[in-house]
Each structure stands twice: as structure tokens, then as C-alpha cells.
């Protein structure tokens, strides 16, 4: 029996986005990166369709963290680069800083310390707002 996908998601994508992003982040915090990837990829698709750039960047960020947790740094760096571009477009220096730190982690996992250091330097050059890096706002970085 085939199910109509419209039954599973609200008719307006922006209604589902906050729930999908929250589920992705919760799954990451529960150390379930495969589930987090499913939620983050669905959220990325909906955010792209609804032209919600902040949520699009957030979905890519969560997707990238999931890939890092699964030790897929090549995919993580690719996805996180998309989030970085969006955060730069939005002028969100906190998002840019955090994403650069994640990309540096990806370079470390790919055994490229030179590129990782350059990426960390780029992050360090950014001015952050008060409270940037607080775990309530940004998910914890995966351990190396």
C-alpha cells in the first residue's frame, strides 16, 4: 500500500522545519547520527523549497555534524561549505565561526592539518556576538 507523502508532513513546509531541525539536533545529542541525517536532509529539502535561508543553513550544519559523527569528513566538508556560504550571505558571523570550526574538524579527520589550521585561523578572525558557542544555541562539536 502506497502512502501519500502529504500525510506525513504539514501542507506548508515552514510548519515542519522547526520540528525536523529539533529532531535532528536531538538525535545528534543522543548519539544517533543516522537518524539525525534523515531529519536534517528532510529539513534541508524543505528549507530550500521554502527559501528559508537561516533554516537551510541550520539543516546543512546539522547534516554536516552527522557526517562528522559517522566519520564521513569528505561529505561533511562539502555540506558544511554550503552552510558557510549561506551564513556569510546572511551576515551571521556566529554561524560562520561555528561552521568554520566544524569544517576544520573535517580537515583533521581527512589528515590535512595544514588546511585545518587555515580554517581555524579564518574562524578566529571573526568577531562573535555575546554568548557565541553556547551549547543551547549550537550543538556540541563531535569529538576527534
Amino acid at each position: 500500500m502506497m502512502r501519500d507523502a502529504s500525510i506525513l508532513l504539514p501542507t506548508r513546509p515552514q510548519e515542519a522545519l522547526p520540528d525536523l531541525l529539533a529532531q535532528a539536533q536531538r538525535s545528534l545529542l543522543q548519539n544517533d547520527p543516522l537518524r539525525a541525517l534523515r531529519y536534517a536532509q528532510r529539513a534541508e529539502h524543505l528549507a530550500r523549497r521554502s527559501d528559508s535561508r537561516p533554516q537551510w543553513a541550520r539543516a546543512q550544519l546539522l547534516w554536516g555534524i552527522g557526517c562528522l559523527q559517522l566519520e564521513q569528513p569528505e561529505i561533511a566538508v562539502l555540506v558544511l561549505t554550503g552552510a558557510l556560504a549561506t551564513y556569510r550571505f546572511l551576515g551571521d558571523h556566529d554561524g560562520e565561526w561555528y561552521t568554520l570550526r566544524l569544517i576544520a574538524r573535517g580537515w583533521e579527520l581527512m589528515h590535512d592539518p595544514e588546511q585545518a589550521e587555515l580554517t581555524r585561523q579564518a574562524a578566529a578572525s571573526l568577531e562573535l556576538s555575546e554568548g557565541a558557542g553556547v551549547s543551547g544555541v549550537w550543538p556540541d562539536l563531535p569529538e576527534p
Side-chain angles (χ1 to χ4, degrees):
M1 178 171 112
M2 301 256 318
R3 286 188 177 179
D4 182 9
S6 64
I7 296 170
L8 303 174
L9 296 173
T11 54
R12 287 191 251 153
Q14 59 271 29
E15 293 173 7
L17 275 170
D19 290 336
L20 289 171
L21 292 169
Q23 287 290 342
Q25 183 162 338
R26 193 170 313 129
S27 296
L28 288 171
L29 294 173
Q30 294 171 347
N31 201 24
D32 189 353
L34 286 174
R35 177 173 284 179
L37 285 179
R38 286 193 299 270
Y39 287 124
Q41 289 168 345
R42 286 172 52 195
E44 190 274 342
H45 174 73
L46 291 176
R48 191 171 8 96
R49 268 189 28 210
S50 66
D51 200 31
S52 176
R53 289 191 174 114
Q55 290 176 318
W56 187 26
R58 183 71 174 185
Q60 289 177 315
L61 182 92
L62 295 170
W63 182 354
I65 293 171
C67 288
L68 288 173
Q69 286 184 351
L70 290 170
E71 297 183 7
Q72 299 173 339
E74 297 86 358
I75 297 170
V77 169
L78 179 66
V79 172
L80 290 167
T81 300
L84 177 63
T86 304
Y87 282 128
R88 283 183 174 163
F89 177 81
L90 294 171
D92 182 342
H93 295 297
D94 296 347
E96 191 177 343
W97 171 81
Y98 186 75
T99 305
L100 283 166
R101 290 184 63 218
L102 289 169
I103 291 171
R105 180 67 53 85
W107 288 119
E108 288 172 357
L109 291 172
M110 288 189 282
H111 308 289
D112 191 338
E114 183 179 330
Q115 190 63 45
E117 182 57 30
L118 290 171
T119 306
R120 275 193 293 279
Q121 287 173 6
S125 71
L126 296 171
E127 290 188 29
L128 302 176
S129 64
E130 282 288 318
V134 175
S135 64
V137 178
W138 302 104
D140 289 336
L141 288 168
E143 292 301 315

PDB file of all heavy atoms in Angstrom, residues 83-114:
ATOM      1  N   ALA A  83      26.556  25.480   4.074  1.00  0.00           N
ATOM      2  CA  ALA A  83      26.076  26.219   5.244  1.00  0.00           C
ATOM      3  C   ALA A  83      26.908  27.480   5.447  1.00  0.00           C
ATOM      4  O   ALA A  83      26.366  28.552   5.735  1.00  0.00           O
ATOM      5  CB  ALA A  83      26.136  25.335   6.485  1.00  0.00           C
ATOM      6  N   LEU A  84      28.213  27.362   5.274  1.00  0.00           N
ATOM      7  CA  LEU A  84      29.104  28.515   5.438  1.00  0.00           C
ATOM      8  C   LEU A  84      28.744  29.625   4.457  1.00  0.00           C
ATOM      9  O   LEU A  84      28.653  30.797   4.840  1.00  0.00           O
ATOM     10  CB  LEU A  84      30.559  28.074   5.233  1.00  0.00           C
ATOM     11  CG  LEU A  84      31.618  29.165   5.298  1.00  0.00           C
ATOM     12  CD1 LEU A  84      31.655  29.801   6.690  1.00  0.00           C
ATOM     13  CD2 LEU A  84      32.981  28.588   4.931  1.00  0.00           C
ATOM     14  N   ALA A  85      28.511  29.263   3.217  1.00  0.00           N
ATOM     15  CA  ALA A  85      28.140  30.272   2.214  1.00  0.00           C
ATOM     16  C   ALA A  85      26.840  30.971   2.597  1.00  0.00           C
ATOM     17  O   ALA A  85      26.711  32.192   2.444  1.00  0.00           O
ATOM     18  CB  ALA A  85      28.009  29.621   0.841  1.00  0.00           C
ATOM     19  N   THR A  86      25.897  30.207   3.109  1.00  0.00           N
ATOM     20  CA  THR A  86      24.614  30.803   3.500  1.00  0.00           C
ATOM     21  C   THR A  86      24.786  31.710   4.709  1.00  0.00           C
ATOM     22  O   THR A  86      24.232  32.814   4.748  1.00  0.00           O
ATOM     23  CB  THR A  86      23.571  29.700   3.781  1.00  0.00           C
ATOM     24  OG1 THR A  86      23.464  28.873   2.625  1.00  0.00           O
ATOM     25  CG2 THR A  86      22.211  30.295   4.093  1.00  0.00           C
ATOM     26  N   TYR A  87      25.541  31.261   5.701  1.00  0.00           N
ATOM     27  CA  TYR A  87      25.778  32.128   6.864  1.00  0.00           C
ATOM     28  C   TYR A  87      26.500  33.411   6.451  1.00  0.00           C
ATOM     29  O   TYR A  87      26.199  34.484   6.971  1.00  0.00           O
ATOM     30  CB  TYR A  87      26.579  31.391   7.943  1.00  0.00           C
ATOM     31  CG  TYR A  87      25.742  30.425   8.757  1.00  0.00           C
ATOM     32  CD1 TYR A  87      26.135  29.099   8.912  1.00  0.00           C
ATOM     33  CD2 TYR A  87      24.566  30.826   9.384  1.00  0.00           C
ATOM     34  CE1 TYR A  87      25.383  28.209   9.665  1.00  0.00           C
ATOM     35  CE2 TYR A  87      23.806  29.944  10.128  1.00  0.00           C
ATOM     36  CZ  TYR A  87      24.207  28.639  10.269  1.00  0.00           C
ATOM     37  OH  TYR A  87      23.465  27.769  11.012  1.00  0.00           O
ATOM     38  N   ARG A  88      27.421  33.316   5.514  1.00  0.00           N
ATOM     39  CA  ARG A  88      28.108  34.524   5.030  1.00  0.00           C
ATOM     40  C   ARG A  88      27.128  35.452   4.313  1.00  0.00           C
ATOM     41  O   ARG A  88      27.156  36.663   4.504  1.00  0.00           O
ATOM     42  CB  ARG A  88      29.262  34.152   4.102  1.00  0.00           C
ATOM     43  CG  ARG A  88      30.463  33.672   4.852  1.00  0.00           C
ATOM     44  CD  ARG A  88      31.635  33.371   3.957  1.00  0.00           C
ATOM     45  NE  ARG A  88      32.808  33.036   4.764  1.00  0.00           N
ATOM     46  CZ  ARG A  88      33.868  32.427   4.317  1.00  0.00           C
ATOM     47  NH1 ARG A  88      33.954  32.063   3.044  1.00  0.00           N
ATOM     48  NH2 ARG A  88      34.872  32.161   5.122  1.00  0.00           N
ATOM     49  N   PHE A  89      26.258  34.876   3.492  1.00  0.00           N
ATOM     50  CA  PHE A  89      25.243  35.663   2.786  1.00  0.00           C
ATOM     51  C   PHE A  89      24.337  36.381   3.779  1.00  0.00           C
ATOM     52  O   PHE A  89      23.969  37.543   3.569  1.00  0.00           O
ATOM     53  CB  PHE A  89      24.416  34.750   1.865  1.00  0.00           C
ATOM     54  CG  PHE A  89      23.317  35.458   1.159  1.00  0.00           C
ATOM     55  CD1 PHE A  89      23.562  36.201   0.012  1.00  0.00           C
ATOM     56  CD2 PHE A  89      22.010  35.389   1.636  1.00  0.00           C
ATOM     57  CE1 PHE A  89      22.533  36.867  -0.638  1.00  0.00           C
ATOM     58  CE2 PHE A  89      20.986  36.047   0.995  1.00  0.00           C
ATOM     59  CZ  PHE A  89      21.241  36.782  -0.150  1.00  0.00           C
ATOM     60  N   LEU A  90      23.992  35.697   4.862  1.00  0.00           N
ATOM     61  CA  LEU A  90      23.103  36.274   5.876  1.00  0.00           C
ATOM     62  C   LEU A  90      23.818  37.262   6.797  1.00  0.00           C
ATOM     63  O   LEU A  90      23.171  37.983   7.550  1.00  0.00           O
ATOM     64  CB  LEU A  90      22.494  35.159   6.729  1.00  0.00           C
ATOM     65  CG  LEU A  90      21.553  34.198   6.020  1.00  0.00           C
ATOM     66  CD1 LEU A  90      21.214  33.018   6.926  1.00  0.00           C
ATOM     67  CD2 LEU A  90      20.286  34.917   5.576  1.00  0.00           C
ATOM     68  N   GLY A  91      25.160  37.275   6.747  1.00  0.00           N
ATOM     69  CA  GLY A  91      25.923  38.123   7.653  1.00  0.00           C
ATOM     70  C   GLY A  91      25.931  37.598   9.077  1.00  0.00           C
ATOM     71  O   GLY A  91      26.117  38.358  10.026  1.00  0.00           O
ATOM     72  N   ASP A  92      25.753  36.299   9.243  1.00  0.00           N
ATOM     73  CA  ASP A  92      25.709  35.651  10.559  1.00  0.00           C
ATOM     74  C   ASP A  92      27.122  35.178  10.921  1.00  0.00           C
ATOM     75  O   ASP A  92      27.534  34.082  10.572  1.00  0.00           O
ATOM     76  CB  ASP A  92      24.729  34.477  10.512  1.00  0.00           C
ATOM     77  CG  ASP A  92      24.575  33.765  11.843  1.00  0.00           C
ATOM     78  OD1 ASP A  92      25.442  33.926  12.731  1.00  0.00           O
ATOM     79  OD2 ASP A  92      23.585  33.025  11.986  1.00  0.00           O
ATOM     80  N   HIS A  93      27.853  36.031  11.644  1.00  0.00           N
ATOM     81  CA  HIS A  93      29.245  35.705  11.983  1.00  0.00           C
ATOM     82  C   HIS A  93      29.343  34.545  12.967  1.00  0.00           C
ATOM     83  O   HIS A  93      30.305  33.779  12.911  1.00  0.00           O
ATOM     84  CB  HIS A  93      29.965  36.934  12.533  1.00  0.00           C
ATOM     85  CG  HIS A  93      30.103  38.029  11.528  1.00  0.00           C
ATOM     86  ND1 HIS A  93      30.825  37.898  10.379  1.00  0.00           N
ATOM     87  CD2 HIS A  93      29.576  39.270  11.503  1.00  0.00           C
ATOM     88  CE1 HIS A  93      30.747  39.008   9.674  1.00  0.00           C
ATOM     89  NE2 HIS A  93      29.995  39.862  10.325  1.00  0.00           N
ATOM     90  N   ASP A  94      28.361  34.410  13.851  1.00  0.00           N
ATOM     91  CA  ASP A  94      28.385  33.287  14.792  1.00  0.00           C
ATOM     92  C   ASP A  94      28.227  31.969  14.040  1.00  0.00           C
ATOM     93  O   ASP A  94      28.952  31.008  14.297  1.00  0.00           O
ATOM     94  CB  ASP A  94      27.283  33.423  15.842  1.00  0.00           C
ATOM     95  CG  ASP A  94      27.470  34.638  16.745  1.00  0.00           C
ATOM     96  OD1 ASP A  94      28.565  35.238  16.722  1.00  0.00           O
ATOM     97  OD2 ASP A  94      26.510  34.983  17.460  1.00  0.00           O
ATOM     98  N   GLY A  95      27.282  31.927  13.110  1.00  0.00           N
ATOM     99  CA  GLY A  95      27.092  30.724  12.296  1.00  0.00           C
ATOM    100  C   GLY A  95      28.310  30.426  11.447  1.00  0.00           C
ATOM    101  O   GLY A  95      28.721  29.274  11.291  1.00  0.00           O
ATOM    102  N   GLU A  96      28.900  31.483  10.905  1.00  0.00           N
ATOM    103  CA  GLU A  96      30.101  31.332  10.090  1.00  0.00           C
ATOM    104  C   GLU A  96      31.252  30.771  10.927  1.00  0.00           C
ATOM    105  O   GLU A  96      31.941  29.832  10.519  1.00  0.00           O
ATOM    106  CB  GLU A  96      30.474  32.701   9.511  1.00  0.00           C
ATOM    107  CG  GLU A  96      31.524  32.689   8.459  1.00  0.00           C
ATOM    108  CD  GLU A  96      31.781  34.073   7.875  1.00  0.00           C
ATOM    109  OE1 GLU A  96      30.948  34.992   8.044  1.00  0.00           O
ATOM    110  OE2 GLU A  96      32.842  34.230   7.252  1.00  0.00           O
ATOM    111  N   TRP A  97      31.448  31.326  12.128  1.00  0.00           N
ATOM    112  CA  TRP A  97      32.511  30.877  13.024  1.00  0.00           C
ATOM    113  C   TRP A  97      32.337  29.406  13.386  1.00  0.00           C
ATOM    114  O   TRP A  97      33.278  28.621  13.294  1.00  0.00           O
ATOM    115  CB  TRP A  97      32.490  31.742  14.288  1.00  0.00           C
ATOM    116  CG  TRP A  97      33.372  31.266  15.390  1.00  0.00           C
ATOM    117  CD1 TRP A  97      34.718  31.459  15.511  1.00  0.00           C
ATOM    118  CD2 TRP A  97      32.975  30.498  16.532  1.00  0.00           C
ATOM    119  NE1 TRP A  97      35.181  30.869  16.669  1.00  0.00           N
ATOM    120  CE2 TRP A  97      34.126  30.270  17.310  1.00  0.00           C
ATOM    121  CE3 TRP A  97      31.755  29.993  16.963  1.00  0.00           C
ATOM    122  CZ2 TRP A  97      34.090  29.563  18.502  1.00  0.00           C
ATOM    123  CZ3 TRP A  97      31.713  29.291  18.154  1.00  0.00           C
ATOM    124  CH2 TRP A  97      32.876  29.082  18.901  1.00  0.00           C
ATOM    125  N   TYR A  98      31.124  29.037  13.784  1.00  0.00           N
ATOM    126  CA  TYR A  98      30.873  27.662  14.202  1.00  0.00           C
ATOM    127  C   TYR A  98      31.063  26.696  13.033  1.00  0.00           C
ATOM    128  O   TYR A  98      31.655  25.625  13.189  1.00  0.00           O
ATOM    129  CB  TYR A  98      29.451  27.554  14.768  1.00  0.00           C
ATOM    130  CG  TYR A  98      29.162  26.208  15.364  1.00  0.00           C
ATOM    131  CD1 TYR A  98      29.699  25.852  16.595  1.00  0.00           C
ATOM    132  CD2 TYR A  98      28.379  25.285  14.698  1.00  0.00           C
ATOM    133  CE1 TYR A  98      29.451  24.608  17.149  1.00  0.00           C
ATOM    134  CE2 TYR A  98      28.127  24.047  15.246  1.00  0.00           C
ATOM    135  CZ  TYR A  98      28.653  23.712  16.469  1.00  0.00           C
ATOM    136  OH  TYR A  98      28.406  22.481  17.002  1.00  0.00           O
ATOM    137  N   THR A  99      30.582  27.073  11.863  1.00  0.00           N
ATOM    138  CA  THR A  99      30.708  26.220  10.689  1.00  0.00           C
ATOM    139  C   THR A  99      32.173  26.047  10.301  1.00  0.00           C
ATOM    140  O   THR A  99      32.607  24.948   9.946  1.00  0.00           O
ATOM    141  CB  THR A  99      29.887  26.787   9.512  1.00  0.00           C
ATOM    142  OG1 THR A  99      28.534  26.956   9.945  1.00  0.00           O
ATOM    143  CG2 THR A  99      29.918  25.867   8.318  1.00  0.00           C
ATOM    144  N   LEU A 100      32.948  27.112  10.364  1.00  0.00           N
ATOM    145  CA  LEU A 100      34.380  27.003  10.075  1.00  0.00           C
ATOM    146  C   LEU A 100      35.067  26.048  11.051  1.00  0.00           C
ATOM    147  O   LEU A 100      35.933  25.263  10.655  1.00  0.00           O
ATOM    148  CB  LEU A 100      35.053  28.378  10.114  1.00  0.00           C
ATOM    149  CG  LEU A 100      34.823  29.252   8.885  1.00  0.00           C
ATOM    150  CD1 LEU A 100      35.229  30.699   9.174  1.00  0.00           C
ATOM    151  CD2 LEU A 100      35.563  28.698   7.681  1.00  0.00           C
ATOM    152  N   ARG A 101      34.682  26.075  12.314  1.00  0.00           N
ATOM    153  CA  ARG A 101      35.261  25.145  13.287  1.00  0.00           C
ATOM    154  C   ARG A 101      34.929  23.701  12.918  1.00  0.00           C
ATOM    155  O   ARG A 101      35.765  22.811  13.052  1.00  0.00           O
ATOM    156  CB  ARG A 101      34.748  25.464  14.688  1.00  0.00           C
ATOM    157  CG  ARG A 101      35.314  26.782  15.222  1.00  0.00           C
ATOM    158  CD  ARG A 101      34.896  27.055  16.643  1.00  0.00           C
ATOM    159  NE  ARG A 101      35.417  26.019  17.524  1.00  0.00           N
ATOM    160  CZ  ARG A 101      34.741  25.521  18.558  1.00  0.00           C
ATOM    161  NH1 ARG A 101      33.540  25.947  18.838  1.00  0.00           N
ATOM    162  NH2 ARG A 101      35.284  24.595  19.323  1.00  0.00           N
ATOM    163  N   LEU A 102      33.712  23.464  12.438  1.00  0.00           N
ATOM    164  CA  LEU A 102      33.325  22.115  12.025  1.00  0.00           C
ATOM    165  C   LEU A 102      34.085  21.689  10.774  1.00  0.00           C
ATOM    166  O   LEU A 102      34.508  20.538  10.665  1.00  0.00           O
ATOM    167  CB  LEU A 102      31.817  22.045  11.777  1.00  0.00           C
ATOM    168  CG  LEU A 102      30.937  22.119  13.018  1.00  0.00           C
ATOM    169  CD1 LEU A 102      29.478  22.310  12.612  1.00  0.00           C
ATOM    170  CD2 LEU A 102      31.099  20.876  13.872  1.00  0.00           C
ATOM    171  N   ILE A 103      34.253  22.607   9.845  1.00  0.00           N
ATOM    172  CA  ILE A 103      34.999  22.297   8.624  1.00  0.00           C
ATOM    173  C   ILE A 103      36.451  21.956   8.987  1.00  0.00           C
ATOM    174  O   ILE A 103      37.030  21.011   8.439  1.00  0.00           O
ATOM    175  CB  ILE A 103      34.909  23.458   7.607  1.00  0.00           C
ATOM    176  CG1 ILE A 103      33.481  23.566   7.057  1.00  0.00           C
ATOM    177  CG2 ILE A 103      35.920  23.266   6.470  1.00  0.00           C
ATOM    178  CD1 ILE A 103      33.221  24.808   6.216  1.00  0.00           C
ATOM    179  N   ALA A 104      37.015  22.690   9.933  1.00  0.00           N
ATOM    180  CA  ALA A 104      38.381  22.387  10.392  1.00  0.00           C
ATOM    181  C   ALA A 104      38.445  20.974  10.955  1.00  0.00           C
ATOM    182  O   ALA A 104      39.406  20.238  10.709  1.00  0.00           O
ATOM    183  CB  ALA A 104      38.836  23.404  11.433  1.00  0.00           C
ATOM    184  N   ARG A 105      37.413  20.583  11.698  1.00  0.00           N
ATOM    185  CA  ARG A 105      37.366  19.220  12.233  1.00  0.00           C
ATOM    186  C   ARG A 105      37.355  18.203  11.089  1.00  0.00           C
ATOM    187  O   ARG A 105      38.003  17.169  11.147  1.00  0.00           O
ATOM    188  CB  ARG A 105      36.137  19.061  13.129  1.00  0.00           C
ATOM    189  CG  ARG A 105      35.963  17.698  13.757  1.00  0.00           C
ATOM    190  CD  ARG A 105      37.039  17.344  14.777  1.00  0.00           C
ATOM    191  NE  ARG A 105      37.227  18.322  15.813  1.00  0.00           N
ATOM    192  CZ  ARG A 105      36.542  18.424  16.932  1.00  0.00           C
ATOM    193  NH1 ARG A 105      35.570  17.581  17.169  1.00  0.00           N
ATOM    194  NH2 ARG A 105      36.818  19.352  17.806  1.00  0.00           N
ATOM    195  N   GLY A 106      36.606  18.515  10.028  1.00  0.00           N
ATOM    196  CA  GLY A 106      36.590  17.631   8.862  1.00  0.00           C
ATOM    197  C   GLY A 106      37.958  17.488   8.234  1.00  0.00           C
ATOM    198  O   GLY A 106      38.377  16.384   7.884  1.00  0.00           O
ATOM    199  N   TRP A 107      38.675  18.609   8.097  1.00  0.00           N
ATOM    200  CA  TRP A 107      40.031  18.545   7.530  1.00  0.00           C
ATOM    201  C   TRP A 107      40.943  17.705   8.409  1.00  0.00           C
ATOM    202  O   TRP A 107      41.787  16.958   7.905  1.00  0.00           O
ATOM    203  CB  TRP A 107      40.607  19.942   7.340  1.00  0.00           C
ATOM    204  CG  TRP A 107      39.983  20.701   6.210  1.00  0.00           C
ATOM    205  CD1 TRP A 107      39.300  21.875   6.295  1.00  0.00           C
ATOM    206  CD2 TRP A 107      39.972  20.334   4.821  1.00  0.00           C
ATOM    207  NE1 TRP A 107      38.854  22.247   5.046  1.00  0.00           N
ATOM    208  CE2 TRP A 107      39.256  21.327   4.128  1.00  0.00           C
ATOM    209  CE3 TRP A 107      40.488  19.260   4.099  1.00  0.00           C
ATOM    210  CZ2 TRP A 107      39.056  21.286   2.752  1.00  0.00           C
ATOM    211  CZ3 TRP A 107      40.282  19.210   2.727  1.00  0.00           C
ATOM    212  CH2 TRP A 107      39.573  20.225   2.077  1.00  0.00           C
ATOM    213  N   GLU A 108      40.774  17.824   9.737  1.00  0.00           N
ATOM    214  CA  GLU A 108      41.578  17.000  10.646  1.00  0.00           C
ATOM    215  C   GLU A 108      41.301  15.512  10.408  1.00  0.00           C
ATOM    216  O   GLU A 108      42.229  14.710  10.370  1.00  0.00           O
ATOM    217  CB  GLU A 108      41.260  17.336  12.099  1.00  0.00           C
ATOM    218  CG  GLU A 108      41.784  18.665  12.560  1.00  0.00           C
ATOM    219  CD  GLU A 108      41.277  19.047  13.941  1.00  0.00           C
ATOM    220  OE1 GLU A 108      40.465  18.303  14.539  1.00  0.00           O
ATOM    221  OE2 GLU A 108      41.692  20.108  14.432  1.00  0.00           O
ATOM    222  N   LEU A 109      40.035  15.168  10.274  1.00  0.00           N
ATOM    223  CA  LEU A 109      39.672  13.771  10.044  1.00  0.00           C
ATOM    224  C   LEU A 109      40.199  13.248   8.709  1.00  0.00           C
ATOM    225  O   LEU A 109      40.396  12.046   8.540  1.00  0.00           O
ATOM    226  CB  LEU A 109      38.153  13.580  10.122  1.00  0.00           C
ATOM    227  CG  LEU A 109      37.536  13.758  11.508  1.00  0.00           C
ATOM    228  CD1 LEU A 109      36.011  13.739  11.428  1.00  0.00           C
ATOM    229  CD2 LEU A 109      38.040  12.689  12.463  1.00  0.00           C
ATOM    230  N   MET A 110      40.427  14.166   7.755  1.00  0.00           N
ATOM    231  CA  MET A 110      40.992  13.776   6.462  1.00  0.00           C
ATOM    232  C   MET A 110      42.516  13.857   6.476  1.00  0.00           C
ATOM    233  O   MET A 110      43.159  13.773   5.437  1.00  0.00           O
ATOM    234  CB  MET A 110      40.420  14.654   5.345  1.00  0.00           C
ATOM    235  CG  MET A 110      38.970  14.351   5.031  1.00  0.00           C
ATOM    236  SD  MET A 110      38.374  15.198   3.548  1.00  0.00           S
ATOM    237  CE  MET A 110      38.084  16.855   4.171  1.00  0.00           C
ATOM    238  N   HIS A 111      43.090  14.064   7.671  1.00  0.00           N
ATOM    239  CA  HIS A 111      44.545  14.097   7.854  1.00  0.00           C
ATOM    240  C   HIS A 111      45.204  15.216   7.040  1.00  0.00           C
ATOM    241  O   HIS A 111      46.247  15.014   6.417  1.00  0.00           O
ATOM    242  CB  HIS A 111      45.181  12.740   7.539  1.00  0.00           C
ATOM    243  CG  HIS A 111      44.519  11.617   8.272  1.00  0.00           C
ATOM    244  ND1 HIS A 111      44.659  11.449   9.627  1.00  0.00           N
ATOM    245  CD2 HIS A 111      43.701  10.639   7.840  1.00  0.00           C
ATOM    246  CE1 HIS A 111      43.955  10.400  10.005  1.00  0.00           C
ATOM    247  NE2 HIS A 111      43.358   9.890   8.950  1.00  0.00           N
ATOM    248  N   ASP A 112      44.565  16.390   7.071  1.00  0.00           N
ATOM    249  CA  ASP A 112      45.120  17.561   6.405  1.00  0.00           C
ATOM    250  C   ASP A 112      45.254  18.685   7.440  1.00  0.00           C
ATOM    251  O   ASP A 112      44.437  19.603   7.491  1.00  0.00           O
ATOM    252  CB  ASP A 112      44.217  18.000   5.246  1.00  0.00           C
ATOM    253  CG  ASP A 112      44.871  19.040   4.352  1.00  0.00           C
ATOM    254  OD1 ASP A 112      45.802  19.729   4.820  1.00  0.00           O
ATOM    255  OD2 ASP A 112      44.435  19.175   3.195  1.00  0.00           O
ATOM    256  N   PRO A 113      46.289  18.596   8.294  1.00  0.00           N
ATOM    257  CA  PRO A 113      46.427  19.582   9.375  1.00  0.00           C
ATOM    258  C   PRO A 113      46.658  21.012   8.881  1.00  0.00           C
ATOM    259  O   PRO A 113      46.248  21.962   9.538  1.00  0.00           O
ATOM    260  CB  PRO A 113      47.622  19.067  10.180  1.00  0.00           C
ATOM    261  CG  PRO A 113      48.369  18.173   9.254  1.00  0.00           C
ATOM    262  CD  PRO A 113      47.362  17.608   8.299  1.00  0.00           C
ATOM    263  N   GLU A 114      47.296  21.158   7.730  1.00  0.00           N
ATOM    264  CA  GLU A 114      47.546  22.499   7.203  1.00  0.00           C
ATOM    265  C   GLU A 114      46.228  23.193   6.857  1.00  0.00           C
ATOM    266  O   GLU A 114      46.000  24.344   7.231  1.00  0.00           O
ATOM    267  CB  GLU A 114      48.450  22.415   5.967  1.00  0.00           C
ATOM    268  CG  GLU A 114      48.810  23.775   5.400  1.00  0.00           C
ATOM    269  CD  GLU A 114      49.733  23.666   4.199  1.00  0.00           C
ATOM    270  OE1 GLU A 114      50.517  22.702   4.122  1.00  0.00           O
ATOM    271  OE2 GLU A 114      49.651  24.558   3.344  1.00  0.00           O
TER     272      GLU A 114
END
